[in-house]
Amino acid sequence: MRIAVDHVTLYRYERPVRGVVQSHRLTPASFDGQRVLSWEITVSGGLKGGGFRDGAGDWVQGWTVGGPVSEIEVRVAGVVDTTDLAGVLRGHRELLPPEAWLRETGATRADAALSAMGKGVAGTKDALSAAHELAAAVSEAIAYKPGATHAHTTAAEAMAQGEGVCQDHAHALIAAARVAGLPARYVAGYLMSGESEAEAAHAWAEIHVAGLGWVGFDAANRCCPDERYIRLGSGLDARDAAPIKGTARGSGEEHLEVTVAVANAQQ
């Protein structure tokens, strides 16, 4: 499938700031399941800095914007060819060993419910079946409900609430998988769902299965990522995998608007 992405992030500052520094994980890697045909990132008034590929195989690009500035637009536009590999991440170059992804974070710390879920499959000889079982359990435990949670909701809080969005499903699955001894990580990307913009910017989890490698699980949609998905980058949790991180020098509130359009470019 050929997918076109137009992703705009607009920062507005209550009072002009003296400058902004950002790091972007906004460039998808090419691997067996996806091939980047074109990809351009523009930052209004921005100066492109250094970039590097991190241990997870994601490209991290630095940007600075001099002030005073009251508004910054980060725009991503590109086209990617994708192939359905049943969720298996194949041909992705990275350096970190799977064990590096067993470390918990505040957002993915397991409470009693998540620990019980993970321990329920711990020691299962068939790790792939265990991962599928966990993904199904998280899908049952957390009903998809936009607006039910916020950016800082933890996996344990989403489980207790029984409602959440894709970020919460990913966090909960990661937490339970790590309890089971399965390395797991958060993936940020895009989904061509044909639904809302909130669905177009998507997230899911990857679980490492010995002998097979990393396998994606989208518990929010009860499936493994297929040709409708573009993988942007990964991290220990949503904050670690955030496509844009940055700081602004100045006081006053920051307001953020995000619009994402993902469409089939072959239509």
Side-chain angles (χ1 to χ4, degrees):
M1 179 176 287
R2 182 159 295 178
I3 301 175
V5 174
D6 187 12
H7 176 189
V8 178
T9 305
L10 183 62
Y11 295 85
R12 288 197 176 97
Y13 301 99
E14 186 180 30
R15 288 186 286 275
V17 295
R18 298 191 299 277
V20 175
V21 178
Q22 293 182 338
S23 66
H24 295 170
R25 274 188 177 80
L26 281 168
T27 304
S30 288
F31 49 88
D32 290 1
Q34 69 182 30
R35 185 166 62 98
V36 181
L37 301 181
S38 65
W39 202 261
E40 183 179 20
I41 301 169
T42 56
V43 179
S44 58
L47 179 63
K48 195 174 183 179
F52 65 95
R53 193 165 298 283
D54 67 10
D58 301 326
W59 183 257
V60 181
Q61 179 65 54
W63 286 87
T64 58
V65 180
V69 61
S70 56
E71 183 176 303
I72 297 173
E73 180 189 270
V74 179
R75 188 176 203 113
V76 178
V79 178
V80 178
D81 270 351
T82 59
T83 303
D84 183 6
L85 297 179
V88 178
L89 183 62
R90 187 181 302 154
H92 179 63
R93 294 189 296 174
E94 54 187 302
L95 299 174
L96 290 175
E99 293 75 17
W101 302 96
L102 284 167
R103 180 161 54 95
E104 70 174 15
T105 65
T108 60
R109 187 164 294 123
D111 65 352
L114 287 164
S115 293
M117 187 182 290
K119 290 176 181 175
V121 301
T124 303
K125 290 183 179 179
D126 184 350
L128 183 59
S129 296
H132 277 288
E133 186 176 329
L134 289 177
V138 169
S139 299
E140 289 297 323
I142 302 176
Y144 181 76
K145 186 176 181 181
T149 54
H150 53 78
H152 302 294
T153 299
T154 67
E157 290 169 342
M159 280 288 289
Q161 191 168 321
E163 297 173 332
V165 294
C166 59
Q167 172 176 303
D168 305 301
H169 289 90
H171 279 163
L173 179 53
I174 290 165
R178 289 175 181 163
V179 170
L182 298 171
R185 61 190 181 189
Y186 188 99
V187 179
Y190 301 106
L191 169 60
M192 202 200 73
S193 66
E195 301 295 335
S196 65
E197 285 189 359
E199 278 289 287
H202 201 57
W204 57 95
E206 285 178 346
I207 297 176
H208 191 267
V209 176
L212 181 60
W214 289 103
V215 183
F217 293 90
D218 181 3
N221 286 308
R222 300 173 182 264
C223 67
C224 289
D226 53 29
E227 62 180 0
R228 299 169 300 158
Y229 292 71
I230 295 175
R231 185 186 192 279
L232 260 186
S234 61
L236 290 165
D237 57 22
R239 183 177 181 182
D240 194 34
I244 301 176
K245 297 178 184 177
T247 58
R249 291 183 295 161
S251 59
E253 293 187 7
E254 176 184 275
H255 301 279
L256 183 66
E257 294 177 20
V258 180
T259 58
V260 184
V262 179
N264 187 340
Q266 292 176 316
Q267 290 180 336

